[in-house]
Amino acid sequence: MKRSEEFLSKIYNESTRKSYENLFLKMRTLEDILNKDIDELSTRKEFLLLLEYCCKGNTYNSIYVKWSLLKRYYEYIGNNNIKVISNKDLNKIIRDNKEKDDNRYILKEKLIKMVNKLENNTDKAILLLARNGIGIEYEAQDLINLRVKDIDFKHNMIYDKKIDDYTMYITKLAMNEKEYVTIGNYDKIIIYNMNSEYLFKTRPTKSTLDGMLPLKPSGFRGRMQKIKAELEDDNIILSNLIMSYIVDKVIEYQNEIGKELTQNELKYFLNINFGFTKNAYDVRKMTRQIIKSGV
């Protein structure tokens, strides 16, 4: 992505800029998978993979937003090959995601059972912390940059958020975890540099300053892909975990005031509590589904 920084320098709206930064993180991960500069995609097959990779697991509104952002970027760099993607292709992604829509909410109790299948406490902690709302503002970056000093074990607090007891227990185990058993290759073990200040440590190499630097976003997202594959559940992604946390908070507030929030009231609630109003429609839809199901 040779021109992404140049493009970002011309985006002055903070919300749009953050959206592009998160989108570019996914695109860079795909770059590693394809071993090809994302700016140079040319075939329909490649663009379909890009569309699926960037939009899979997202909500109806989010898919259209991401598609609009992608088109704008490729128009800027002069790559018109993206026009090979039709509305029919986009609608297929939407239909595929709609089929999984009812399963996007992840119950905490269900997640606790699922993470027990994982070998590494750091992998468990990633999912549990996301389900506790760590990662709302910048998603992966909030987790990647989480330092041990940011964790208040005495009061169960991280980034001014109250964390449940079990998640704090796993987080403490993750903090003291000295080795990492590679998912899919259990004979390969990474020995961490325990002097690192980060909760999620990197492999000690020259490029990581012997394990003192945080995970790269591409490496983090690659790990998330492996975790999802290990659990055999396509719904275990950061956006679903975070959305589930937000829905819980909306339900708590509605129970407190004794009524359902209108769409405008929900947008105000999201803005005041989380600093954004995007996906308000999807939050409201999921909230209604969960209340109706009695979960």
Side-chain angles (χ1 to χ4, degrees):
M1 299 186 64
K2 300 171 184 175
R3 302 184 63 186
S4 58
E5 291 301 322
E6 173 191 321
F7 176 77
L8 281 176
S9 70
K10 300 181 184 298
I11 303 293
Y12 300 107
N13 181 281
E14 185 178 354
S15 177
T16 303
R17 185 181 177 85
K18 287 179 181 177
S19 296
Y20 267 114
E21 286 173 346
N22 287 329
L23 188 61
F24 286 161
L25 287 175
K26 290 188 176 182
M27 293 168 75
R28 287 191 180 96
T29 304
L30 184 58
E31 220 169 35
D32 294 337
I33 294 171
L34 291 175
N35 194 28
K36 182 174 184 177
D37 192 318
I38 291 296
D39 291 356
E40 298 173 0
L41 298 189
S42 57
T43 68
R44 184 169 182 274
K45 183 178 180 181
E46 289 173 340
F47 277 107
L48 280 173
L49 184 60
L50 174 69
L51 181 63
E52 181 179 358
Y53 196 79
C54 290
C55 296
K56 187 176 180 180
N58 283 278
T59 58
Y60 177 90
N61 285 354
S62 181
I63 289 171
Y64 272 107
V65 169
K66 284 182 169 61
W67 174 236
S68 176
L69 294 174
L70 284 169
K71 285 197 297 184
R72 183 177 170 186
Y73 175 68
Y74 277 96
E75 286 170 3
Y76 173 81
I77 64 174
N79 186 339
N80 293 316
N81 293 316
I82 196 170
K83 292 180 180 179
V84 298
I85 297 297
S86 65
N87 285 332
K88 184 178 179 181
D89 297 320
L90 190 62
N91 289 331
K92 183 179 185 304
I93 295 289
I94 291 170
R95 285 197 306 273
D96 290 345
N97 280 278
K98 187 173 178 58
E99 289 177 7
K100 299 176 182 177
D101 202 37
D102 291 341
N103 297 317
R104 291 188 66 233
Y105 179 84
I106 301 167
L107 196 66
K108 272 190 176 182
E109 291 77 7
K110 175 187 175 183
L111 184 63
I112 289 172
K113 289 180 180 177
M114 292 185 75
V115 299
N116 286 330
K117 299 176 184 176
L118 298 171
E119 177 69 27
N120 303 292
N121 288 309
T122 48
D123 292 335
K124 297 175 185 179
I126 287 172
L127 303 185
L128 291 167
L129 287 170
R131 184 59 179 81
N132 276 263
I134 305 301
I136 285 181
E137 188 171 3
Y138 298 110
E139 290 197 7
Q141 291 96 320
D142 287 346
L143 289 162
I144 289 170
N145 295 320
L146 180 58
R147 294 170 169 84
V148 172
K149 69 177 183 180
D150 298 322
I151 306 170
D152 183 348
F153 286 103
K154 183 177 180 180
H155 299 100
N156 282 20
M157 299 286 290
I158 300 177
Y159 294 152
D160 297 322
K161 286 188 175 71
K162 189 71 175 176
I163 309 298
D164 68 74
D165 291 341
Y166 184 73
T167 298
M168 291 301 290
Y169 166 71
I170 294 297
T171 300
K172 195 160 194 174
L173 293 178
M175 179 183 71
N176 295 316
E177 195 163 64
K178 297 179 179 180
E179 61 181 33
Y180 184 84
V181 180
T182 305
I183 297 175
N185 185 4
Y186 299 111
D187 291 330
K188 185 177 179 181
I189 297 175
I190 297 168
I191 306 298
Y192 287 134
N193 182 344
M194 297 305 288
N195 291 319
S196 169
E197 63 181 327
Y198 297 98
L199 178 65
F200 302 110
K201 299 172 177 59
T202 49
R203 182 188 307 143
T205 63
K206 187 175 181 180
S207 64
T208 64
L209 298 183
D210 195 31
M212 296 299 285
L213 295 180
L215 281 164
K216 290 182 178 180
S218 60
F220 181 85
R221 293 193 180 278
R223 185 188 290 196
M224 282 297 299
Q225 290 291 328
K226 290 179 180 179
I227 290 173
K228 183 173 68 172
E230 182 76 1
L231 295 178
E232 299 180 327
D233 191 326
D234 285 340
N235 287 300
I236 300 299
I237 57 177
L238 281 185
S239 58
N240 285 352
L241 292 164
I242 292 167
M243 179 80 84
S244 300
Y245 170 82
I246 293 171
V247 167
D248 284 350
K249 294 303 175 184
V250 172
I251 292 173
E252 284 177 17
Y253 183 67
Q254 289 188 162
N255 289 339
E256 184 182 318
I257 64 175
K259 77 179 189 77
E260 181 185 84
L261 296 174
T262 66
Q263 191 72 358
N264 280 336
E265 288 171 338
L266 177 58
K267 285 186 175 182
Y268 180 77
F269 176 84
L270 293 175
N271 189 46
I272 291 297
N273 290 275
F274 306 114
F276 65 83
T277 60
K278 64 180 181 179
N279 293 340
Y281 173 82
D282 298 304
V283 170
R284 192 180 193 202
K285 181 181 176 183
M286 187 185 290
T287 300
R288 286 175 168 174
Q289 288 175 338
I290 299 308
I291 291 173
K292 185 177 180 181
S293 68
V295 172

